[in-house]
Amino acid sequence: RKSYLSRHAADHVGGEMANVYFDEAMKDKPEAAWEALLKEVLKGDSKKIWHGELMENLSADERKLVLPMMKNYIEKYTPAGDFEKSKVRVLVRGDLQDFVGETQGPVTRVESIFIIISIAVLHDLEIFKIDITSAFLNTPMNDDVDHKWLLLDKDVASVLMSMDSEYWKGFLRRDGKILVKLDKIMYGFKEAAYWWNVMLVKVFVDNGYRQLSKDQCVLVKNEGNKVSYCAITVDDCFFAMSKDPDWINQSVEMLKAAFEELTVERGETINILGMTVYMDRE
């Protein structure tokens, strides 16, 4: 448990977030922690990330592939150190995976961000950021992932029961837990970042963008005298593009059509990779 978090936990790294175990958060701030858990499970349910499964229906080999879960309480902060929000992540215990597929989940280089900002300054381009909500929960399960079953703990099971007891009571175990088969590649899987990136890049390419060979997380689109640059940092898309309202709206609608929920951060001040970018046009 600790070895898993050591690779994911942070204490205000870059001023962005602080992670603690959910159980610890329940002792210090129970209302905030439980409310965040409710939101996370509701989000997952709305995205249809799993369905109930019975252990007796699994073969002996499939039972060996069942993974436990954990919960992480996260407090997010702006690069300036101001509190932004708290949330809970329900995670697959990927550290316990016996079988692992492709894991490379690239992010853009910091140098690429600086170059795009410089181009935006030179050509007076609009800059903005799009944050895709609960990004990995949009990624369909893939045959590359062998561990497709997750044992939900009592907390998550109780939330599911409160949402739809008629359905979930048939899967509620004597120990208060619920076994599910995953329809999406959740947070925690070692393959999650790879398949999320594959899907996200495909959305861009299908809409006329091209990947750069020097940085595969930078995508560019040209149309007449209009241009759009985008640098991908997991679920954040940092754009610099020609100041044309329709041109800008095309990119926003492109991602909204693919992922439904997203947050658009516009204006002359944008937070990205733990930095605050301020565009002084004068």
Side-chain angles (χ1 to χ4, degrees):
R1 189 162 174 241
K2 290 182 179 178
S3 64
Y4 177 81
L5 266 195
S6 68
R7 299 196 299 273
H8 294 79
D11 183 13
H12 296 265
V13 171
E16 281 201 313
M17 61 177 61
N19 300 340
V20 297
Y21 291 117
F22 178 80
D23 291 343
E24 294 172 6
M26 281 294 290
K27 296 175 184 176
D28 297 333
K29 45 192 76 174
E31 291 185 8
W34 190 258
E35 183 180 354
L37 176 64
L38 288 173
K39 289 181 179 178
E40 175 74 356
V41 178
L42 282 168
K43 179 68 64 181
D45 188 68
S46 68
K47 290 183 176 293
K48 298 178 171 57
I49 63 174
W50 51 41
H51 62 270
E53 184 66 277
L54 296 174
M55 190 70 77
E56 55 262 35
N57 292 339
L58 272 57
S59 67
D61 288 338
E62 288 174 336
R63 293 182 186 185
K64 295 176 183 177
L65 297 174
V66 175
L67 290 173
M69 57 153 283
M70 65 176 290
K71 302 185 293 296
N72 197 20
Y73 176 80
I74 305 167
E75 290 186 342
K76 294 198 71 174
Y77 294 81
T78 67
D82 299 321
F83 176 77
E84 186 177 346
K85 63 179 178 180
S86 59
K87 64 181 181 180
V88 167
R89 279 273 181 248
V90 173
L91 301 161
V92 172
R93 285 289 304 274
D95 57 318
L96 299 179
Q97 285 183 247
D98 290 323
F99 306 99
V100 180
E102 180 59 65
T103 61
Q104 185 182 22
V107 296
T108 192
R109 296 169 61 90
V110 175
E111 295 91 336
S112 298
I113 295 282
F114 291 156
I115 290 170
I116 290 173
I117 292 170
S118 300
I119 294 171
V121 171
L122 182 64
H123 296 289
D124 194 29
L125 303 179
E126 180 91 4
I127 64 168
F128 62 96
K129 185 184 76 174
I130 295 180
D131 179 4
I132 300 168
T133 304
S134 300
F136 288 9
L137 302 186
N138 294 288
T139 314
M141 181 54 70
N142 190 282
D143 289 339
D144 187 58
V145 181
D146 289 319
H147 296 268
K148 293 181 171 66
W149 294 270
L150 179 66
L151 187 59
L152 303 177
D153 69 14
K154 294 180 180 179
D155 290 335
V156 176
S158 69
V159 174
L160 290 176
M161 285 293 293
S162 68
M163 291 164 46
D164 187 355
S165 61
E166 195 62 33
Y167 174 76
W168 291 109
K169 68 181 182 182
F171 303 100
L172 187 65
R173 296 158 36 121
R174 291 182 178 179
D175 60 4
K177 300 179 180 181
I178 289 177
L179 177 68
V180 294
K181 185 171 184 180
L182 297 171
D183 300 306
K184 301 290 178 67
I185 304 177
M186 286 178 57
Y187 289 91
F189 275 116
K190 292 181 179 180
E191 301 94 340
Y194 173 80
W195 287 109
W196 160 251
N197 181 262
V198 167
M199 182 173 65
L200 179 58
V201 168
K202 185 178 186 301
V203 170
F204 277 90
V205 172
D206 288 348
N207 283 274
Y209 280 80
R210 67 183 188 278
Q211 272 181 295
L212 298 190
S213 59
K214 295 293 184 180
D215 187 337
Q216 295 183 353
C217 287
V218 174
L219 299 112
V220 184
K221 181 178 180 179
N222 299 89
E223 190 176 291
N225 62 351
K226 294 178 291 189
V227 65
S228 174
Y229 300 89
C230 181
I232 297 172
T233 61
V234 189
D235 56 358
D236 287 341
C237 302
F238 179 74
F239 286 88
M241 60 170 57
S242 302
K243 290 181 175 179
D244 181 310
D246 293 334
W247 181 242
I248 294 172
N249 190 56
Q250 279 183 31
S251 293
V252 175
E253 291 302 317
M254 169 188 77
L255 294 176
K256 187 176 291 185
F259 306 113
E260 295 182 1
E261 292 185 72
L262 43 86
T263 301
V264 183
E265 187 178 335
R266 299 186 66 175
E268 302 294 58
T269 303
I270 304 295
N271 295 315
I272 185 75
L273 283 181
M275 303 179 291
T276 297
V277 178
Y278 171 63
M279 182 73 81
D280 185 343
R281 300 285 174 180
E282 295 180 7

